[in-house]
Amino acid sequence: VAPLFFRKADTLNSIAIAFIILTAVNPFSIANPSLVLSIVGTFSAGVFAPYLTDKIKADTFIKKQSGNALYIFLISLCIMPFSVIFFGESSVVSPIANIILTPVCMTALFISIIASLTVFLNPVFLIKLSGVLCEFVMFIVRQTGKLRFSGINFSDEMKYISALTVLICVTVYLIFRTRKSLVISTAVSFALFIMSAVTLSFTMSDKLNIALM
């Protein structure tokens, strides 16, 4: 829409406006995991990952694909703390799965758009092709979910560690406002998260938890 009015689109402002509208009707929805993860996912894909990968040169095929892989990895990295905060778990294979499945999903979406624009031609083949791609994605997701190592459960303490890592990144960027400071704070926060998870896993290994159903 922005180019129609000779303006440049601002993803961050769009996210902020959408968030205000959604929470104005029901302020308690700010604690809704679906809303928060949707906002974070959109922010990571439209603001966080593009900002960190903006200076990466993609003059060769390998560099371009490496940049795309890094872009998708940063999206998963941004969402991970919030997944731990709300659900106490995070997916291990999601970065790799996203790298493989995102192009398939985008292809299915593109084909669906073409089919909708040419509906008067009865594009049955395009509709079926898009359906096959969607079924392929769902098959991979189901099979991945059956893997024992597909996800990791974290202790309650990791929820506070996750919140701390987010706070560190936000605070450092608001103070220095540079790409380098955000990269360093993200790397430090990720290292803090990993070390905390490993340390807590060892300290909790000698405890017996009994759940009464």
Side-chain angles (χ1 to χ4, degrees):
V1 178
L4 297 177
F5 298 95
F6 305 99
R7 293 291 188 271
K8 184 179 180 180
D10 192 324
T11 306
L12 185 59
N13 284 339
S14 301
I15 295 173
I17 293 173
F19 181 75
I20 292 174
I21 294 175
L22 291 173
T23 54
V25 179
N26 181 16
F28 295 102
S29 62
I30 194 173
N32 188 317
S34 298
L35 175 63
V36 175
L37 290 176
S38 297
I39 295 295
V40 173
T42 306
F43 171 81
S44 61
V47 180
F48 180 73
Y51 179 72
L52 292 184
T53 58
D54 183 53
K55 298 300 181 180
I56 298 178
K57 294 182 179 180
D59 50 356
T60 64
F61 177 79
I62 295 177
K63 290 183 178 180
K64 184 177 181 179
Q65 298 307 315
S66 300
N68 292 335
L70 178 61
Y71 174 86
I72 297 175
F73 173 77
L74 289 173
I75 294 175
S76 301
L77 184 65
C78 186
I79 296 175
M80 184 176 67
F82 296 91
S83 177
V84 175
I85 291 173
F86 284 108
F87 306 110
E89 63 181 17
S90 181
S91 175
V92 178
V93 298
S94 62
I96 300 177
N98 289 337
I99 293 174
I100 299 174
L101 297 180
T102 298
V104 180
C105 294
M106 294 301 295
T107 303
L109 178 62
F110 181 71
I111 294 175
S112 299
I113 294 175
I114 295 177
S116 63
L117 294 176
T118 58
V119 64
F120 56 90
L121 298 176
N122 193 20
V124 178
F125 173 74
L126 294 178
I127 296 175
K128 290 184 177 181
L129 179 59
S130 178
V132 169
L133 293 176
C134 291
E135 288 294 333
F136 171 76
V137 172
M138 293 304 299
F139 173 78
I140 297 299
V141 171
R142 293 191 189 98
Q143 297 303 315
T144 304
K146 295 178 181 180
L147 299 176
R148 294 184 178 180
F149 56 86
S150 61
I152 298 178
N153 294 320
F154 296 97
S155 61
D156 291 337
E157 290 80 1
M158 285 305 301
K159 296 182 179 181
Y160 302 102
I161 300 296
S162 299
L164 178 61
T165 58
V166 174
L167 182 61
I168 290 175
C169 293
V170 172
T171 303
V172 170
Y173 182 74
L174 290 178
I175 294 175
F176 298 99
R177 292 185 177 276
T178 61
R179 184 178 285 103
K180 183 178 180 180
S181 64
L182 182 58
V183 171
I184 294 175
S185 62
T186 301
V188 171
S189 299
F190 184 68
L192 174 63
F193 181 90
I194 296 298
M195 289 187 296
S196 300
V198 172
T199 303
L200 288 173
S201 65
F202 279 109
T203 57
M204 297 292 291
S205 60
D206 59 345
K207 293 184 180 180
L208 175 64
N209 296 324
I210 301 177
L212 298 178
M213 304 300 291

